[in-house]
Amino acid sequence: MKMGTEKQTYLNYINGEWIHSSTGKIEASLNPANIDDIVGYVQESGVEDVNVAVEAARRAQAAWRKLSGPKRGEYLFRAADVLEKRLDEIAETMTREMGKTLPEAKGEVQRGVNILRYYAGEGMRSIGEVIPSMDSEALMFTTRVPLGVVGVITPWNFPVAIPIWKIAPAIVYGNTVVFKPAQETAVTAAKIVECFDQAGLPAGVVNLVTGKGSVIGNAIAEHPHIHGITFTGSNEVGKTIAQKAVARGAKYQLEMGGKNPVIVLEDADLDRAVEATISGGLRSTGQKCTATSRVFVQSSIYESFKEQLLAKIKQLKIGDGLKEGVWMGPCASRKQLETILSYIEKGIEEGATLLCGGRRLVDGELGNGFYIEPTVFENVSPNMTIAREEIFGPVLSLIKVDTFEEALALANDTPFGLSASIFTQNIGKMLAFIQDIEAGLVRINEESAGVELQAPFGGMKQSSSHSREQGRAAIEFFTAIKTVFVKG
């Protein structure tokens, strides 16, 4: 799979073999904490590589779907064991490749292990039900069948958890997979696929093709023999995938952006609310679709909340995520850094008040990476760009409100609807928030980021295609219902 002595070159994985791309091109994966550190070289594949991978998945699918669910689950149990043994190595690769701190990376790899074991168990669970027939001499029931070949397109911000929470249910329910990871984290992706390979997964069940999204992602979206596409990424790309899938009748699942609100009411536990706002908005350098972005604080506690928030943010240690004690690492790439800086500039231009941060960090060793200060704005009006568009960086907008009703209305004033949280001790307002907030993930007295693997995950409005990932809900996308009527 790898070659070279200094820096490893990672190949595509097709039909159970590690092979070079048809283009012969490779691309360096750089450490965003130190761009002189090349994590490895990855394939810059072409459309022909997707075609070969899809054909391998098609050939494998006939035998794979005939295996029993428990047998398919056994492969996932073995893959989980391999991933667990390689946890430290893969977490370190993740930190070097996309910048999140090592403790966060280790937590994510462990989550990947747990997801594999959860879906391994799905192989033994019910896939249908008996339905009473009007004909007393007949038997009517439902069963579920796989879609066929599924395209898995994933982002760089959770390079272990998101691929696994898509691939694991896809294959346990009898599908085969063509996996296209974000190019920024393709080394980490290759190591995930290594775990499936080492677990003895039959050739062609999981195939890895790396390369540009405009080439590989597009080829997956348009391929006539890919029956389902599961995608996490930007709204712009997601909508394009949806159009291509609809045009040829393929099933699609999109998880996209968020502009996630936190409401802090005057009876909130202030310490808890501040800690959760910082954690939800700034961990992983704000590069989460569920990250806190807009913070609505009741006017009577606004100044106290702001003072406490700024004091704690100024204590955060920023640096290389591999170093002990670092709380926030770099942005994942130069492009991401430049995007965040452009939004900060836009906020200043439109009249928001910059309370802290807002600059690229270049002192000492930080100058060789893509570091940015945690940033907080106030005097942010609902129509400002920083209040409406997803920034995907460590930028918080503080917005003063007089009442819960005002906060709720402003929180819902967004095209997105992924996650939202509220801090209050008032049961009535908790229940009103649960009922009226337009978000797929609702958190009470907890940060906006985070979902448990056994629970459905997904958004409303433009945050998703309205399906759900993770937990038992995954079966709805990765299978089709077949209704059976039997009469002797």
Side-chain angles (χ1 to χ4, degrees), residues 86-107:
R86 298 181 60 182
L87 188 151
D88 289 343
E89 168 215 343
I90 292 176
E92 183 175 331
T93 299
M94 187 197 309
T95 295
R96 284 181 63 210
E97 198 168 34
M98 65 77 58
K100 70 174 59 176
T101 65
L102 189 58
E104 287 181 276
K106 286 182 177 181

Side-chain angles (χ1 to χ4, degrees), residues 442-454:
V442 180
R443 311 260 285 172
I444 309 298
N445 293 321
E446 194 44 278
E447 67 179 74
S448 65
V451 64
E452 296 192 31
L453 64 92
Q454 70 275 24

Side-chain angles (χ1 to χ4, degrees), residues 402-442:
D402 291 325
T403 65
F404 164 69
E405 291 75 19
E406 180 189 2
L408 184 62
L410 290 172
N412 282 333
D413 182 18
T414 172
F416 299 105
L418 186 53
S419 68
S421 68
I422 188 171
F423 288 84
T424 182
Q425 304 304 315
N426 186 300
I427 297 294
K429 288 174 181 172
M430 289 181 195
L431 295 175
F433 181 77
I434 293 167
Q435 178 72 28
D436 295 331
I437 192 70
E438 296 166 355
L441 175 62
V442 180

Side-chain angles (χ1 to χ4, degrees), residues 62-82:
W64 181 249
R65 70 178 293 169
K66 289 185 183 300
L67 277 185
S68 69
K71 286 291 183 185
R72 293 193 294 261
E74 287 176 9
Y75 286 101
L76 294 189
F77 276 124
R78 288 202 288 271
D81 291 342
V82 175

Side-chain angles (χ1 to χ4, degrees), residues 68-233:
S68 69
K71 286 291 183 185
R72 293 193 294 261
E74 287 176 9
Y75 286 101
L76 294 189
F77 276 124
R78 288 202 288 271
D81 291 342
V82 175
L83 182 61
E84 191 167 49
K85 288 175 184 173
R86 298 181 60 182
L87 188 151
D88 289 343
E89 168 215 343
I90 292 176
E92 183 175 331
T93 299
M94 187 197 309
T95 295
R96 284 181 63 210
E97 198 168 34
M98 65 77 58
K100 70 174 59 176
T101 65
L102 189 58
E104 287 181 276
K106 286 182 177 181
E108 183 179 335
V109 179
Q110 182 59 55
R111 182 178 179 182
V113 172
N114 297 342
I115 291 167
L116 285 167
R117 288 178 177 150
Y118 176 89
Y119 283 111
E122 275 293 290
M124 299 190 73
R125 296 189 180 103
S126 168
I127 57 168
E129 60 182 352
V130 175
I131 303 169
S133 171
M134 297 296 288
D135 187 338
S136 62
E137 296 181 353
L139 171 65
M140 187 163 62
F141 64 94
T142 63
T143 186
R144 287 183 177 269
V145 294
L147 301 180
V149 179
V150 172
V152 172
I153 304 174
T154 61
W156 44 259
N157 61 329
F158 285 92
V160 172
I162 292 179
I164 288 177
W165 86 44
K166 293 176 185 291
I167 293 170
I171 62 177
V172 84
Y173 296 132
N175 303 283
T176 53
V177 163
V178 176
F179 170 33
K180 182 256 177 285
Q183 197 72 339
E184 293 90 339
T185 50
V187 173
T188 305
K191 293 195 172 192
I192 296 169
V193 174
E194 279 183 342
C195 294
F196 285 108
D197 181 50
Q198 291 167 13
L201 199 69
V205 174
V206 171
N207 304 274
L208 170 72
V209 181
T210 64
K212 294 187 186 330
S214 57
V215 177
I216 308 305
N218 191 61
I220 287 173
E222 293 182 342
H223 202 290
H225 298 305
I226 288 184
H227 307 99
I229 304 163
T230 175
F231 165 84
T232 298

Side-chain angles (χ1 to χ4, degrees), residues 339-351 358 377 386:
T339 297
I340 297 165
L341 288 172
S342 72
Y343 274 112
I344 292 170
E345 190 62 35
K346 193 78 169 175
I348 295 169
E349 287 174 5
E350 293 182 358
F377 282 100
I386 60 171

